[in-house]
Amino acid sequence: MTKHLVKFNEDGFIVVPDIVSISEVHEISLRCKDLQFHRAGTRNLLNHNWIQALSLRISLHPIISRLLPSKAKSVQCTYFHKSKDKNWLVPLHRDTSIPVKVKFEAPDWDGWSKKEGVWFAKPPEEVLRNLVAVRVHLERNTIENGALQVIPGSHRHDEVANNRTTCDIPSGGALVMHPLILHSSSKLSSGRRRVLHFLYAPPTLPAPAEWAHAM
């Protein structure tokens, strides 16, 4: 077991720099200008070929590949754009909603909602424990532009409420995290914050559930 995997399993998150180069950050920025979204961003980027190619590259990264579940697929990519005009705070929470193909009735599945034409639901915790999120940052993320704060160990329900860590992420770097880790973010005071948030998962879900997309 590598030191990165040990830290990831223990803390629930890890920062990995240099996921994409500065020139690639510029190219991605240009592509993101063409995205159609309202408010904070958009959830359904896996329909774009360039996002599919980027998600595959990320999954093959020598550090990140060791943190993902076996035969992992990208099942969602969300774009967040926080700026002076589109500014918000997010209280401490866990990510517990996943995109599925159709709505169905099954024990331990609840919290159904439809967002941008896709069904989302809260699955059983054993499903959530097999997910890994990779947040690729297009500019350096600091406390000034709304950096994510996490509580280490809280993905294992082993948290200390006042033990928040601010995740300083370099431009082109990524925050890899368990969706069940407690995390929050404040409004930014300067600059902007643009993030591509990829969600990786095992290729199949417990029947009758199916992923809306699995690339």
Tab-separated table of all heavy atoms in Angstrom, residues 143-189:
chain	number	residue	atom	x	y	z
A	143	ILE	N	-8.009	30.368	0.708
A	143	ILE	CA	-9.122	30.832	1.534
A	143	ILE	C	-9.771	32.077	0.927
A	143	ILE	O	-10.968	32.311	1.089
A	143	ILE	CB	-8.646	31.109	2.985
A	143	ILE	CG1	-9.849	31.205	3.933
A	143	ILE	CG2	-7.759	32.336	3.049
A	143	ILE	CD1	-10.589	29.903	4.120
A	144	GLU	N	-8.980	32.876	0.167
A	144	GLU	CA	-9.515	34.106	-0.436
A	144	GLU	C	-10.534	33.821	-1.536
A	144	GLU	O	-11.446	34.608	-1.754
A	144	GLU	CB	-8.375	34.977	-0.992
A	144	GLU	CG	-7.560	35.709	0.052
A	144	GLU	CD	-6.588	34.802	0.792
A	144	GLU	OE1	-6.219	33.750	0.210
A	144	GLU	OE2	-6.216	35.138	1.931
A	145	ASN	N	-10.374	32.728	-2.272
A	145	ASN	CA	-11.340	32.450	-3.348
A	145	ASN	C	-12.160	31.186	-3.079
A	145	ASN	O	-12.543	30.459	-3.988
A	145	ASN	CB	-10.655	32.397	-4.719
A	145	ASN	CG	-9.687	31.227	-4.864
A	145	ASN	OD1	-9.291	30.602	-3.881
A	145	ASN	ND2	-9.304	30.925	-6.096
A	146	GLY	N	-12.463	30.982	-1.812
A	146	GLY	CA	-13.452	29.963	-1.451
A	146	GLY	C	-12.951	28.544	-1.428
A	146	GLY	O	-13.663	27.620	-1.846
A	147	ALA	N	-11.718	28.344	-0.941
A	147	ALA	CA	-11.160	26.991	-0.873
A	147	ALA	C	-12.045	26.063	-0.052
A	147	ALA	O	-12.696	26.481	0.904
A	147	ALA	CB	-9.756	27.036	-0.257
A	148	LEU	N	-12.058	24.798	-0.439
A	148	LEU	CA	-12.791	23.801	0.322
A	148	LEU	C	-12.118	23.590	1.675
A	148	LEU	O	-10.888	23.564	1.776
A	148	LEU	CB	-12.824	22.481	-0.450
A	148	LEU	CG	-14.135	21.681	-0.410
A	148	LEU	CD1	-15.254	22.474	-1.045
A	148	LEU	CD2	-13.964	20.357	-1.129
A	149	GLN	N	-12.919	23.457	2.715
A	149	GLN	CA	-12.426	23.065	4.033
A	149	GLN	C	-12.987	21.684	4.341
A	149	GLN	O	-14.167	21.416	4.112
A	149	GLN	CB	-12.855	24.061	5.100
A	149	GLN	CG	-12.213	25.430	4.939
A	149	GLN	CD	-12.554	26.361	6.081
A	149	GLN	OE1	-13.696	26.430	6.511
A	149	GLN	NE2	-11.571	27.093	6.568
A	150	VAL	N	-12.136	20.805	4.865
A	150	VAL	CA	-12.549	19.430	5.147
A	150	VAL	C	-12.228	19.083	6.591
A	150	VAL	O	-11.360	19.703	7.219
A	150	VAL	CB	-11.848	18.422	4.202
A	150	VAL	CG1	-12.171	18.729	2.748
A	150	VAL	CG2	-10.335	18.422	4.423
A	151	ILE	N	-12.914	18.077	7.123
A	151	ILE	CA	-12.609	17.535	8.444
A	151	ILE	C	-11.982	16.163	8.244
A	151	ILE	O	-12.668	15.202	7.883
A	151	ILE	CB	-13.858	17.443	9.329
A	151	ILE	CG1	-14.431	18.848	9.562
A	151	ILE	CG2	-13.538	16.762	10.653
A	151	ILE	CD1	-15.624	18.887	10.496
A	152	PRO	N	-10.652	16.073	8.406
A	152	PRO	CA	-9.963	14.794	8.173
A	152	PRO	C	-10.560	13.655	8.995
A	152	PRO	O	-10.895	13.830	10.176
A	152	PRO	CB	-8.521	15.096	8.612
A	152	PRO	CG	-8.377	16.581	8.463
A	152	PRO	CD	-9.720	17.134	8.824
A	153	GLY	N	-10.709	12.495	8.363
A	153	GLY	CA	-11.227	11.318	9.036
A	153	GLY	C	-12.733	11.218	9.093
A	153	GLY	O	-13.278	10.176	9.486
A	154	SER	N	-13.433	12.272	8.694
A	154	SER	CA	-14.898	12.270	8.848
A	154	SER	C	-15.594	11.338	7.873
A	154	SER	O	-16.767	11.003	8.064
A	154	SER	CB	-15.451	13.690	8.711
A	154	SER	OG	-15.074	14.274	7.486
A	155	HIS	N	-14.906	10.874	6.821
A	155	HIS	CA	-15.512	9.889	5.916
A	155	HIS	C	-15.698	8.554	6.633
A	155	HIS	O	-16.499	7.725	6.215
A	155	HIS	CB	-14.639	9.692	4.680
A	155	HIS	CG	-13.291	9.134	4.969
A	155	HIS	ND1	-12.375	9.779	5.783
A	155	HIS	CD2	-12.677	7.990	4.570
A	155	HIS	CE1	-11.280	9.058	5.864
A	155	HIS	NE2	-11.432	7.967	5.142
A	156	ARG	N	-14.939	8.363	7.731
A	156	ARG	CA	-15.074	7.160	8.559
A	156	ARG	C	-15.907	7.437	9.798
A	156	ARG	O	-15.945	6.634	10.724
A	156	ARG	CB	-13.677	6.667	8.974
A	156	ARG	CG	-12.806	6.225	7.820
A	156	ARG	CD	-11.443	5.737	8.268
A	156	ARG	NE	-10.558	6.844	8.638
A	156	ARG	CZ	-10.223	7.176	9.876
A	156	ARG	NH1	-10.720	6.513	10.908
A	156	ARG	NH2	-9.404	8.183	10.111
A	157	HIS	N	-16.576	8.611	9.807
A	157	HIS	CA	-17.357	9.061	10.970
A	157	HIS	C	-16.463	9.157	12.205
A	157	HIS	O	-16.886	8.901	13.320
A	157	HIS	CB	-18.552	8.132	11.226
A	157	HIS	CG	-19.478	8.049	10.046
A	157	HIS	ND1	-20.345	9.061	9.703
A	157	HIS	CD2	-19.650	7.081	9.109
A	157	HIS	CE1	-21.025	8.718	8.609
A	157	HIS	NE2	-20.613	7.527	8.229
A	158	ASP	N	-15.214	9.563	11.955
A	158	ASP	CA	-14.234	9.733	13.023
A	158	ASP	C	-13.749	11.172	12.943
A	158	ASP	O	-12.647	11.448	12.492
A	158	ASP	CB	-13.073	8.748	12.841
A	158	ASP	CG	-12.021	8.899	13.927
A	158	ASP	OD1	-12.345	9.472	14.982
A	158	ASP	OD2	-10.877	8.461	13.701
A	159	GLU	N	-14.618	12.120	13.361
A	159	GLU	CA	-14.322	13.510	13.134
A	159	GLU	C	-14.214	14.299	14.436
A	159	GLU	O	-14.791	13.926	15.453
A	159	GLU	CB	-15.388	14.169	12.242
A	159	GLU	CG	-16.776	14.173	12.841
A	159	GLU	CD	-17.681	13.107	12.242
A	159	GLU	OE1	-17.161	12.103	11.736
A	159	GLU	OE2	-18.900	13.299	12.311
A	160	VAL	N	-13.462	15.369	14.379
A	160	VAL	CA	-13.406	16.362	15.443
A	160	VAL	C	-13.953	17.643	14.841
A	160	VAL	O	-13.386	18.176	13.878
A	160	VAL	CB	-11.969	16.571	15.949
A	160	VAL	CG1	-11.942	17.648	17.027
A	160	VAL	CG2	-11.405	15.256	16.478
A	161	ALA	N	-15.066	18.131	15.364
A	161	ALA	CA	-15.823	19.203	14.713
A	161	ALA	C	-15.003	20.463	14.447
A	161	ALA	O	-15.251	21.178	13.483
A	161	ALA	CB	-17.058	19.545	15.544
A	162	ASN	N	-14.033	20.770	15.292
A	162	ASN	CA	-13.265	22.001	15.104
A	162	ASN	C	-11.944	21.766	14.380
A	162	ASN	O	-11.071	22.629	14.350
A	162	ASN	CB	-12.999	22.675	16.451
A	162	ASN	CG	-12.182	21.783	17.382
A	162	ASN	OD1	-11.901	20.636	17.050
A	162	ASN	ND2	-11.815	22.313	18.541
A	163	ASN	N	-11.780	20.593	13.778
A	163	ASN	CA	-10.518	20.226	13.144
A	163	ASN	C	-10.600	20.410	11.629
A	163	ASN	O	-10.322	19.502	10.853
A	163	ASN	CB	-10.154	18.778	13.489
A	163	ASN	CG	-8.758	18.409	13.029
A	163	ASN	OD1	-7.881	19.252	12.934
A	163	ASN	ND2	-8.559	17.130	12.744
A	164	ARG	N	-10.986	21.603	11.185
A	164	ARG	CA	-11.129	21.852	9.753
A	164	ARG	C	-9.767	22.168	9.129
A	164	ARG	O	-8.964	22.892	9.703
A	164	ARG	CB	-12.089	23.003	9.490
A	164	ARG	CG	-13.516	22.710	9.904
A	164	ARG	CD	-14.481	23.702	9.287
A	164	ARG	NE	-15.792	23.611	9.909
A	164	ARG	CZ	-16.889	24.195	9.426
A	164	ARG	NH1	-16.812	24.920	8.324
A	164	ARG	NH2	-18.040	24.068	10.043
A	165	THR	N	-9.547	21.615	7.941
A	165	THR	CA	-8.324	21.862	7.185
A	165	THR	C	-8.687	22.562	5.882
A	165	THR	O	-9.575	22.111	5.155
A	165	THR	CB	-7.604	20.539	6.869
A	165	THR	OG1	-7.185	19.920	8.087
A	165	THR	CG2	-6.393	20.782	5.986
A	166	THR	N	-8.033	23.677	5.586
A	166	THR	CA	-8.247	24.386	4.331
A	166	THR	C	-7.380	23.757	3.244
A	166	THR	O	-6.175	23.603	3.423
A	166	THR	CB	-7.903	25.876	4.482
A	166	THR	OG1	-8.763	26.469	5.465
A	166	THR	CG2	-8.089	26.608	3.152
A	167	CYS	N	-7.992	23.418	2.128
A	167	CYS	CA	-7.285	22.729	1.045
A	167	CYS	C	-6.759	23.752	0.038
A	167	CYS	O	-7.510	24.279	-0.784
A	167	CYS	CB	-8.222	21.742	0.358
A	167	CYS	SG	-8.854	20.460	1.457
A	168	ASP	N	-5.469	24.034	0.141
A	168	ASP	CA	-4.805	24.947	-0.790
A	168	ASP	C	-4.359	24.130	-2.002
A	168	ASP	O	-3.474	23.281	-1.907
A	168	ASP	CB	-3.601	25.584	-0.090
A	168	ASP	CG	-2.988	26.725	-0.899
A	168	ASP	OD1	-3.024	26.658	-2.149
A	168	ASP	OD2	-2.465	27.675	-0.290
A	169	ILE	N	-5.001	24.373	-3.149
A	169	ILE	CA	-4.753	23.575	-4.352
A	169	ILE	C	-4.103	24.445	-5.414
A	169	ILE	O	-4.615	25.518	-5.731
A	169	ILE	CB	-6.072	22.994	-4.921
A	169	ILE	CG1	-6.985	22.467	-3.811
A	169	ILE	CG2	-5.776	21.937	-5.967
A	169	ILE	CD1	-6.453	21.305	-3.066
A	170	PRO	N	-2.988	24.028	-5.991
A	170	PRO	CA	-2.367	24.824	-7.054
A	170	PRO	C	-3.165	24.755	-8.354
A	170	PRO	O	-3.936	23.812	-8.574
A	170	PRO	CB	-0.997	24.167	-7.227
A	170	PRO	CG	-1.210	22.746	-6.807
A	170	PRO	CD	-2.220	22.801	-5.698
A	171	SER	N	-2.984	25.737	-9.206
A	171	SER	CA	-3.613	25.710	-10.525
A	171	SER	C	-3.151	24.472	-11.275
A	171	SER	O	-1.960	24.164	-11.333
A	171	SER	CB	-3.223	26.970	-11.302
A	171	SER	OG	-3.720	26.922	-12.612
A	172	GLY	N	-4.107	23.734	-11.836
A	172	GLY	CA	-3.787	22.495	-12.532
A	172	GLY	C	-3.680	21.291	-11.619
A	172	GLY	O	-3.487	20.173	-12.090
A	173	GLY	N	-3.819	21.507	-10.322
A	173	GLY	CA	-3.775	20.415	-9.352
A	173	GLY	C	-5.176	19.919	-9.028
A	173	GLY	O	-6.183	20.455	-9.509
A	174	ALA	N	-5.231	18.881	-8.202
A	174	ALA	CA	-6.522	18.282	-7.870
A	174	ALA	C	-6.615	17.960	-6.382
A	174	ALA	O	-5.616	17.623	-5.738
A	174	ALA	CB	-6.747	17.011	-8.674
A	175	LEU	N	-7.811	18.075	-5.875
A	175	LEU	CA	-8.162	17.554	-4.564
A	175	LEU	C	-8.901	16.250	-4.793
A	175	LEU	O	-9.951	16.233	-5.443
A	175	LEU	CB	-9.047	18.540	-3.797
A	175	LEU	CG	-9.612	18.040	-2.472
A	175	LEU	CD1	-8.503	17.830	-1.449
A	175	LEU	CD2	-10.662	18.994	-1.910
A	176	VAL	N	-8.339	15.151	-4.308
A	176	VAL	CA	-8.992	13.849	-4.406
A	176	VAL	C	-9.620	13.575	-3.050
A	176	VAL	O	-8.947	13.660	-2.020
A	176	VAL	CB	-7.987	12.737	-4.769
A	176	VAL	CG1	-8.715	11.421	-5.019
A	176	VAL	CG2	-7.172	13.137	-5.991
A	177	MET	N	-10.916	13.253	-3.025
A	177	MET	CA	-11.609	13.136	-1.741
A	177	MET	C	-12.690	12.068	-1.770
A	177	MET	O	-13.262	11.758	-2.822
A	177	MET	CB	-12.228	14.480	-1.346
A	177	MET	CG	-13.181	15.057	-2.372
A	177	MET	SD	-13.873	16.662	-1.903
A	177	MET	CE	-15.381	16.117	-1.089
A	178	HIS	N	-12.959	11.500	-0.595
A	178	HIS	CA	-14.122	10.652	-0.412
A	178	HIS	C	-15.348	11.551	-0.337
A	178	HIS	O	-15.350	12.511	0.439
A	178	HIS	CB	-14.014	9.847	0.884
A	178	HIS	CG	-13.101	8.660	0.797
A	178	HIS	ND1	-13.447	7.518	0.110
A	178	HIS	CD2	-11.869	8.441	1.307
A	178	HIS	CE1	-12.459	6.639	0.212
A	178	HIS	NE2	-11.484	7.177	0.921
A	179	PRO	N	-16.399	11.298	-1.093
A	179	PRO	CA	-17.594	12.137	-1.003
A	179	PRO	C	-18.205	12.191	0.392
A	179	PRO	O	-18.909	13.154	0.722
A	179	PRO	CB	-18.560	11.482	-2.009
A	179	PRO	CG	-17.668	10.810	-2.997
A	179	PRO	CD	-16.507	10.303	-2.181
A	180	LEU	N	-17.935	11.178	1.228
A	180	LEU	CA	-18.510	11.167	2.567
A	180	LEU	C	-17.719	12.005	3.569
A	180	LEU	O	-18.127	12.118	4.722
A	180	LEU	CB	-18.622	9.726	3.081
A	180	LEU	CG	-19.741	8.887	2.459
A	180	LEU	CD1	-19.694	7.455	2.967
A	180	LEU	CD2	-21.107	9.501	2.759
A	181	ILE	N	-16.594	12.595	3.163
A	181	ILE	CA	-15.870	13.471	4.078
A	181	ILE	C	-16.683	14.752	4.287
A	181	ILE	O	-17.291	15.274	3.350
A	181	ILE	CB	-14.461	13.799	3.542
A	181	ILE	CG1	-13.589	14.396	4.653
A	181	ILE	CG2	-14.513	14.717	2.337
A	181	ILE	CD1	-12.128	14.547	4.265
A	182	LEU	N	-16.739	15.235	5.526
A	182	LEU	CA	-17.417	16.496	5.796
A	182	LEU	C	-16.610	17.631	5.191
A	182	LEU	O	-15.403	17.752	5.433
A	182	LEU	CB	-17.574	16.704	7.300
A	182	LEU	CG	-18.672	15.873	7.982
A	182	LEU	CD1	-18.501	15.890	9.498
A	182	LEU	CD2	-20.051	16.403	7.598
A	183	HIS	N	-17.270	18.467	4.390
A	183	HIS	CA	-16.579	19.577	3.746
A	183	HIS	C	-17.500	20.778	3.586
A	183	HIS	O	-18.734	20.645	3.624
A	183	HIS	CB	-16.000	19.151	2.394
A	183	HIS	CG	-17.018	18.628	1.423
A	183	HIS	ND1	-17.597	17.374	1.524
A	183	HIS	CD2	-17.552	19.189	0.304
A	183	HIS	CE1	-18.438	17.185	0.524
A	183	HIS	NE2	-18.431	18.275	-0.235
A	184	SER	N	-16.897	21.943	3.446
A	184	SER	CA	-17.643	23.197	3.315
A	184	SER	C	-16.794	24.185	2.528
A	184	SER	O	-15.608	23.946	2.277
A	184	SER	CB	-17.970	23.776	4.695
A	184	SER	OG	-16.773	24.125	5.382
A	185	SER	N	-17.403	25.298	2.139
A	185	SER	CA	-16.629	26.383	1.529
A	185	SER	C	-17.332	27.704	1.818
A	185	SER	O	-18.561	27.760	1.940
A	185	SER	CB	-16.463	26.190	0.020
A	185	SER	OG	-17.701	26.323	-0.653
A	186	SER	N	-16.529	28.764	1.934
A	186	SER	CA	-17.050	30.105	2.196
A	186	SER	C	-17.203	30.871	0.889
A	186	SER	O	-16.718	30.444	-0.162
A	186	SER	CB	-16.107	30.864	3.127
A	186	SER	OG	-15.938	30.176	4.346
A	187	LYS	N	-17.859	32.017	0.966
A	187	LYS	CA	-17.865	32.919	-0.177
A	187	LYS	C	-16.444	33.406	-0.421
A	187	LYS	O	-15.646	33.520	0.511
A	187	LYS	CB	-18.780	34.112	0.089
A	187	LYS	CG	-20.263	33.785	0.088
A	187	LYS	CD	-21.077	35.055	0.228
A	187	LYS	CE	-22.563	34.764	0.114
A	187	LYS	NZ	-23.378	36.011	0.206
A	188	LEU	N	-16.124	33.683	-1.672
A	188	LEU	CA	-14.799	34.214	-1.955
A	188	LEU	C	-14.759	35.714	-1.660
A	188	LEU	O	-15.781	36.408	-1.743
A	188	LEU	CB	-14.357	33.910	-3.382
A	188	LEU	CG	-15.203	34.358	-4.582
A	188	LEU	CD1	-15.060	35.842	-4.862
A	188	LEU	CD2	-14.810	33.571	-5.809
A	189	SER	N	-13.591	36.205	-1.323
A	189	SER	CA	-13.406	37.635	-1.087
A	189	SER	C	-12.670	38.307	-2.237
A	189	SER	O	-12.678	39.535	-2.358
A	189	SER	CB	-12.640	37.861	0.224
A	189	SER	OG	-11.381	37.213	0.197
